[in-house]
Amino acid sequence: MNKIQLKQIVPFVIFAIVAIAALFVPLHPNFDEGKYNAADVGWIMVATALVFLMTPGLAFFYGGMVHRKNVLSTMIKSIVSAGVISVLWVTVGFSLAFGDTIHGFIGNPSTYLFFDGVNSGHAWSLAPTIPLTLFALFQLMFAIITPGLVVGAVAERIRFTSYIAFIVLFALFVYSPLAHWTWHPEGILFKMGVLDFAGGTVVHISAGMAALAGAIVLKRRKVHMEHQEIPPSNIPYVLIGTGLLWFGWFGFNAGSALGSTSLAVSAFATTNIAAGAGGLSWMFFDVLRGRKPSVLGFCIGAVVGLVAITPGAGFVAIPHSIFIGALAAIISNLAVSWKQKTTLDDTLDVFPCHGVGGIVGMLLTGVFATKTVNPAGVDGWFYGNPEFFFTQLKGVLIVGIFSFVVSFLIFKIINIFQPIRVSSEEEEEGLDVSQHNEKYSQGTLIVMSTGVEVEHQG
């Protein structure tokens, strides 16, 4: 029997302390339910569930693209975020993001420590018709999926335990501050006038820049250095993942209206149209460059369209969402082509798709936003207000630099305490076995090239 080391004990001890501490949180009665709108409560509960569905959708999307020996290890890194962030959000994450502001930079961690006072608190100022608890749960789903996005850049070579540590540190030092800056009325970006309807900066640019930092710190895979082409393990998984992401994104964007309103309907429409335009644009652009239309191309393009429309979903007109999705897909396609000519090993192109797509979406929000769609918004450059475009540009630069630098430091710090990358032998064996002692093909039916069916037991 292997001797248990200190690093194996620490995670359980920390979790046990949190679980026991939770027993001593004071209980308060729920805030008066008569203050809320039933239709808004119903819609945001549905939207919250839809956003959660995006996380398993992302797992399928990424899992279908990697090598067969790394499918499970890639998928679990997205899914485990639901466990880690759920506990962390209740413990301190929600307070850091939406607690009483500390000079516009971060929330006071004691405001809602262990969710104390959330169920009995007044509704969030920007969501007065739903309970504060529901608002907190809706925001939780955004916090869950964001570190999960980074998985695609470091897939096939990062240790599982190191990635758990990254999720915790990223949530505390990148995601929560950005959520506070952008969505808290006293946040520095909010007061600057930066508009991000559903997470172009907080989710996609932050994840994209963290992905870039992770790919640099972890360096290249052996197969990347040898220029080996790794075929996707399961393209139907990618299709399933795309469908789940597209479906869940209606909650992501339309839910960010924080009510059952006409603005939610508009955001629902722009989300769908941008996704379709992005998928077609990527596929047709590939054909224009002499390639065959591919399943992967349409799926990736659709996701890029969804990324790009996210910051402006509730600020831009429905027809303009076609242009936003189409242009973002072309730019991301070109960014992927550029990346392939460099030594950057971003396994599943997270930075070119989520990072670049988020940047394009934020900037195009600065162009096409109109108060005709959302009176609480601002007119963009297309409507005679170039100043707003440059406000969005400043927001992009601040978020991009902050996310990259802090994420880079997080990866480096983790590597000091334990190797963040698996050994070359573990990489060769595959992370499913080396990290989890499981196999994607375990106990599944395999059809041989001869047409004979055999039961494969791994």
Side-chain angles (χ1 to χ4, degrees), residues 300-318:
I300 294 170
V303 171
V304 170
L306 290 164
V307 169
I309 198 59
T310 291
F315 297 118
V316 304
I318 295 171

Side-chain angles (χ1 to χ4, degrees), residues 345-373:
D345 186 10
D346 178 344
T347 311
L348 302 180
D349 300 325
V350 178
F351 172 70
C353 293
H354 288 274
V356 173
I359 291 170
V360 171
M362 281 293 293
L363 297 180
L364 291 182
T365 300
V367 174
F368 295 114
T370 170
K371 290 192 285 187
T372 302
V373 171

Side-chain angles (χ1 to χ4, degrees), residues 147-194:
L149 294 170
V150 184
V151 172
V154 295
E156 302 191 325
R157 62 197 188 279
I158 190 169
R159 290 183 184 276
F160 181 70
T161 51
S162 297
Y163 198 79
I164 295 291
F166 169 79
I167 291 174
V168 173
L169 296 176
F170 177 87
L172 294 176
F173 297 106
V174 179
Y175 183 87
S176 290
L178 289 180
H180 191 82
W181 296 1
T182 306
W183 290 329
H184 194 289
E186 298 300 319
I188 56 174
L189 294 183
F190 191 102
K191 297 183 78 171
M192 188 187 297
V194 174

Side-chain angles (χ1 to χ4, degrees), residues 97 140 165 229 290 350 353 364 394 432:
L140 164 62
E229 185 174 347
V350 178
C353 293
L364 291 182
K394 284 190 290 184
D432 288 3

Side-chain angles (χ1 to χ4, degrees), residues 53-66 70-80 145 148-149 151 237-238 240-242 244-245 348:
L53 189 64
M54 294 173 67
T55 295
L58 181 69
F60 274 105
F61 186 74
Y62 281 168
M65 292 186 190
V66 295
N70 296 310
V71 173
L72 298 180
S73 66
T74 301
M75 295 180 78
I76 188 56
K77 287 188 181 76
S78 291
I79 295 294
V80 77
I145 196 171
L149 294 170
V151 172
Y237 271 17
V238 181
I240 292 170
T242 303
L244 292 173
L245 285 168
L348 302 180

